[in-house]
Amino acid sequence: MSQQPSVLYDELGPRGQRRVVIGSVLAGVLIIGVVALGIVRLAAKGQFQTTRWEVFTQPAVVRFLANGLLATVRVALTAGLLSLVFGLALALARLSVRRAARYATGAWIEFFRGVPLLLLILFIAHGLPQYGMKLSAYWFLVLGLTIYNSAVLAEIFRAGILSLDRGQREAAYAIGLTYAQSMRLVIVPQAVRRMVPTLVSQLVTLLKDSSLGFVIPFEELLRRGRGLGEFYPQSILQAYVVVAAIYIAVNFSLGRVAVWLEGRQARRYGGRVHLPGGPEDLAMIEVRSAALVPSD
Amino acid sequence: MGVVFGHLSDYASGFWYTVALTLASFLVSLLVGIVIATMRISPAAPARAAGLFYVETVRNTPLLVLLFLFFFGLTKVGLAYSIFVSGVIVIGAYHGAFVAEALRSGVGAVSKGQAEAARSIGLTFSQSLRYVVLPQAFRTVVPPIGNIFIALTKNTSLITVIAGVDLTSAADRLNTTYAQAIPIFFGAAVAYLILTIPSGLAFGWIERKVAIAR
């Protein structure tokens, strides 16, 4: 929240300000106390010895983690691109004129959105080889992420398409475009543009979800952190702290980009598709409107 | 499908573990969410900053990383919780950040005139929140909270990675023994849908129940 004054309270007077200061100091002391207790106990176990952290300044270790991050980003981008394509296809199929296509894709989407991603990844990694399907860990992870995310993105696209003014479609028909042409030339480009901020924040979710590659195992950032911890057992906790910091830095920046895009979008087009609750929430967007069927 | 019906008890124990974990973590996430959301709209700037820090940190870290950090971090300070309790704390704290954001946007969705009216009849910050704003905000946040509940249900599966014995781990163990992945994992998927579909419907029902005409 930016600093616009809230109607819920007045500008604080001297007494209020004093209360805030006192309260903050008290809460601060309490939090610092708990943190300090933790630090003392960690220090007692020697967790802050520089030797435990020095590991992360070695060029080989930095390279090892950087390659892990690279693998994470690569897997997220590949799965992201594939999910875009399949997600759009699923969305269009779910909005199709043919009832059978609508029901079949609807069932597919609801099934894969309703099932934990970890279960899906375990099925792919531990199950598919039983049926003679052998892929590299990288493609197993891409496959799992794509199946799950394309179902999620399909609903995002569908929400985008349904949020367009129906006049757009009517105008397209009025100038003689066919259903396919009006989708390709008029509806989809506008819907996709509207969904850009949402898609970027979905990428944050994808980056976080790629950590599930850990169980395959695929050598992404988290797995590499664990690997470091096994190689330098005295630095295992430190390895996780470093990994968490990298994730936060990358995802926080992506989140800023999404916010910026959303602001730009709102300024440019006025209309904005607001999806409360953050990226996690998008996994279960409710689209209440009925399927989009062109009126004849 | 024989392997599924032959091991219904394995599924059942995993199922109830998942249900218990879901409900306990959801309770924690609601508590965390209410506290953090209050901090984020509070008149005290330090509280707002602390709330923002919590939300940004927790939301941008993968849940699995948080689980590992908690699990390994606490053993290093000499505290040890059971897998289940660790799961409840971490999954609850993680989704608490999302609940907080949902609540905050719900407060933002209550029309400004409501807050102005409450303030102008002399209610204080906490009174206007308690009597006017929050009761209305809770209604608008039912759908997002429902979505978070469903996401949380699915995310409890990560407990498998730190050796929890939930539905996902039940399926994975059965598959290791019997190597019939399709029926075994499909069975677990159906069990998850048995949880998620009715809760989606239930939240929809609550939403209609508490809806107010605007």
Side-chain angles (χ1 to χ4, degrees), chain B residues 98-111:
Chain B
F98 293 94
V99 172
E101 283 306 274
L103 288 177
R104 191 175 65 88
S105 69
V107 169
V110 174
S111 108

PDB file of all heavy atoms in Angstrom, chain B residues 98-111:
ATOM      1  N   PHE B  98      -0.934 -15.050   2.341  1.00  0.00           N
ATOM      2  CA  PHE B  98      -1.936 -14.885   1.276  1.00  0.00           C
ATOM      3  C   PHE B  98      -3.272 -14.461   1.875  1.00  0.00           C
ATOM      4  O   PHE B  98      -3.979 -13.626   1.305  1.00  0.00           O
ATOM      5  CB  PHE B  98      -2.092 -16.188   0.491  1.00  0.00           C
ATOM      6  CG  PHE B  98      -0.856 -16.546  -0.302  1.00  0.00           C
ATOM      7  CD1 PHE B  98       0.095 -17.387   0.220  1.00  0.00           C
ATOM      8  CD2 PHE B  98      -0.641 -15.989  -1.552  1.00  0.00           C
ATOM      9  CE1 PHE B  98       1.246 -17.691  -0.491  1.00  0.00           C
ATOM     10  CE2 PHE B  98       0.498 -16.288  -2.271  1.00  0.00           C
ATOM     11  CZ  PHE B  98       1.441 -17.139  -1.744  1.00  0.00           C
ATOM     12  N   VAL B  99      -3.611 -15.058   3.042  1.00  0.00           N
ATOM     13  CA  VAL B  99      -4.849 -14.662   3.715  1.00  0.00           C
ATOM     14  C   VAL B  99      -4.796 -13.179   4.051  1.00  0.00           C
ATOM     15  O   VAL B  99      -5.763 -12.441   3.833  1.00  0.00           O
ATOM     16  CB  VAL B  99      -5.070 -15.505   4.987  1.00  0.00           C
ATOM     17  CG1 VAL B  99      -6.239 -14.962   5.788  1.00  0.00           C
ATOM     18  CG2 VAL B  99      -5.322 -16.953   4.625  1.00  0.00           C
ATOM     19  N   ALA B 100      -3.625 -12.724   4.553  1.00  0.00           N
ATOM     20  CA  ALA B 100      -3.477 -11.313   4.919  1.00  0.00           C
ATOM     21  C   ALA B 100      -3.736 -10.420   3.712  1.00  0.00           C
ATOM     22  O   ALA B 100      -4.448  -9.422   3.814  1.00  0.00           O
ATOM     23  CB  ALA B 100      -2.075 -11.061   5.471  1.00  0.00           C
ATOM     24  N   GLU B 101      -3.188 -10.790   2.560  1.00  0.00           N
ATOM     25  CA  GLU B 101      -3.388  -9.978   1.368  1.00  0.00           C
ATOM     26  C   GLU B 101      -4.851  -9.980   0.944  1.00  0.00           C
ATOM     27  O   GLU B 101      -5.390  -8.953   0.522  1.00  0.00           O
ATOM     28  CB  GLU B 101      -2.511 -10.495   0.223  1.00  0.00           C
ATOM     29  CG  GLU B 101      -1.063 -10.097   0.372  1.00  0.00           C
ATOM     30  CD  GLU B 101      -0.893  -8.600   0.554  1.00  0.00           C
ATOM     31  OE1 GLU B 101      -0.823  -7.873  -0.436  1.00  0.00           O
ATOM     32  OE2 GLU B 101      -0.857  -8.166   1.717  1.00  0.00           O
ATOM     33  N   ALA B 102      -5.500 -11.135   1.068  1.00  0.00           N
ATOM     34  CA  ALA B 102      -6.919 -11.209   0.703  1.00  0.00           C
ATOM     35  C   ALA B 102      -7.740 -10.309   1.618  1.00  0.00           C
ATOM     36  O   ALA B 102      -8.605  -9.553   1.161  1.00  0.00           O
ATOM     37  CB  ALA B 102      -7.408 -12.651   0.789  1.00  0.00           C
ATOM     38  N   LEU B 103      -7.452 -10.393   2.940  1.00  0.00           N
ATOM     39  CA  LEU B 103      -8.200  -9.573   3.897  1.00  0.00           C
ATOM     40  C   LEU B 103      -7.965  -8.093   3.627  1.00  0.00           C
ATOM     41  O   LEU B 103      -8.884  -7.285   3.654  1.00  0.00           O
ATOM     42  CB  LEU B 103      -7.766  -9.899   5.334  1.00  0.00           C
ATOM     43  CG  LEU B 103      -8.211 -11.240   5.886  1.00  0.00           C
ATOM     44  CD1 LEU B 103      -7.645 -11.444   7.279  1.00  0.00           C
ATOM     45  CD2 LEU B 103      -9.731 -11.320   5.921  1.00  0.00           C
ATOM     46  N   ARG B 104      -6.714  -7.751   3.340  1.00  0.00           N
ATOM     47  CA  ARG B 104      -6.392  -6.350   3.108  1.00  0.00           C
ATOM     48  C   ARG B 104      -7.149  -5.824   1.886  1.00  0.00           C
ATOM     49  O   ARG B 104      -7.720  -4.739   1.901  1.00  0.00           O
ATOM     50  CB  ARG B 104      -4.892  -6.190   2.889  1.00  0.00           C
ATOM     51  CG  ARG B 104      -4.434  -4.758   2.895  1.00  0.00           C
ATOM     52  CD  ARG B 104      -2.936  -4.708   2.786  1.00  0.00           C
ATOM     53  NE  ARG B 104      -2.485  -5.229   1.495  1.00  0.00           N
ATOM     54  CZ  ARG B 104      -2.361  -4.489   0.405  1.00  0.00           C
ATOM     55  NH1 ARG B 104      -2.675  -3.226   0.440  1.00  0.00           N
ATOM     56  NH2 ARG B 104      -1.945  -5.021  -0.714  1.00  0.00           N
ATOM     57  N   SER B 105      -7.179  -6.651   0.814  1.00  0.00           N
ATOM     58  CA  SER B 105      -7.890  -6.158  -0.361  1.00  0.00           C
ATOM     59  C   SER B 105      -9.392  -6.133  -0.093  1.00  0.00           C
ATOM     60  O   SER B 105     -10.104  -5.308  -0.663  1.00  0.00           O
ATOM     61  CB  SER B 105      -7.553  -6.995  -1.590  1.00  0.00           C
ATOM     62  OG  SER B 105      -8.090  -8.275  -1.462  1.00  0.00           O
ATOM     63  N   GLY B 106      -9.854  -7.000   0.810  1.00  0.00           N
ATOM     64  CA  GLY B 106     -11.261  -6.969   1.189  1.00  0.00           C
ATOM     65  C   GLY B 106     -11.601  -5.677   1.908  1.00  0.00           C
ATOM     66  O   GLY B 106     -12.631  -5.053   1.655  1.00  0.00           O
ATOM     67  N   VAL B 107     -10.714  -5.244   2.809  1.00  0.00           N
ATOM     68  CA  VAL B 107     -10.921  -3.975   3.510  1.00  0.00           C
ATOM     69  C   VAL B 107     -10.921  -2.829   2.493  1.00  0.00           C
ATOM     70  O   VAL B 107     -11.727  -1.907   2.568  1.00  0.00           O
ATOM     71  CB  VAL B 107      -9.825  -3.757   4.581  1.00  0.00           C
ATOM     72  CG1 VAL B 107      -9.878  -2.346   5.121  1.00  0.00           C
ATOM     73  CG2 VAL B 107     -10.004  -4.755   5.711  1.00  0.00           C
ATOM     74  N   GLY B 108     -10.026  -2.961   1.488  1.00  0.00           N
ATOM     75  CA  GLY B 108      -9.974  -1.933   0.450  1.00  0.00           C
ATOM     76  C   GLY B 108     -11.247  -1.889  -0.373  1.00  0.00           C
ATOM     77  O   GLY B 108     -11.601  -0.847  -0.921  1.00  0.00           O
ATOM     78  N   ALA B 109     -11.949  -3.045  -0.450  1.00  0.00           N
ATOM     79  CA  ALA B 109     -13.131  -3.119  -1.296  1.00  0.00           C
ATOM     80  C   ALA B 109     -14.370  -2.533  -0.623  1.00  0.00           C
ATOM     81  O   ALA B 109     -15.355  -2.244  -1.286  1.00  0.00           O
ATOM     82  CB  ALA B 109     -13.403  -4.566  -1.700  1.00  0.00           C
ATOM     83  N   VAL B 110     -14.322  -2.384   0.715  1.00  0.00           N
ATOM     84  CA  VAL B 110     -15.461  -1.776   1.402  1.00  0.00           C
ATOM     85  C   VAL B 110     -15.494  -0.309   1.014  1.00  0.00           C
ATOM     86  O   VAL B 110     -14.474   0.374   1.058  1.00  0.00           O
ATOM     87  CB  VAL B 110     -15.312  -1.913   2.927  1.00  0.00           C
ATOM     88  CG1 VAL B 110     -16.411  -1.158   3.637  1.00  0.00           C
ATOM     89  CG2 VAL B 110     -15.344  -3.368   3.323  1.00  0.00           C
ATOM     90  N   SER B 111     -16.685   0.155   0.646  1.00  0.00           N
ATOM     91  CA  SER B 111     -16.720   1.489   0.055  1.00  0.00           C
ATOM     92  C   SER B 111     -16.242   2.525   1.063  1.00  0.00           C
ATOM     93  O   SER B 111     -16.431   2.401   2.272  1.00  0.00           O
ATOM     94  CB  SER B 111     -18.128   1.805  -0.438  1.00  0.00           C
ATOM     95  OG  SER B 111     -18.730   2.744   0.389  1.00  0.00           O
TER      96      SER B 111
END
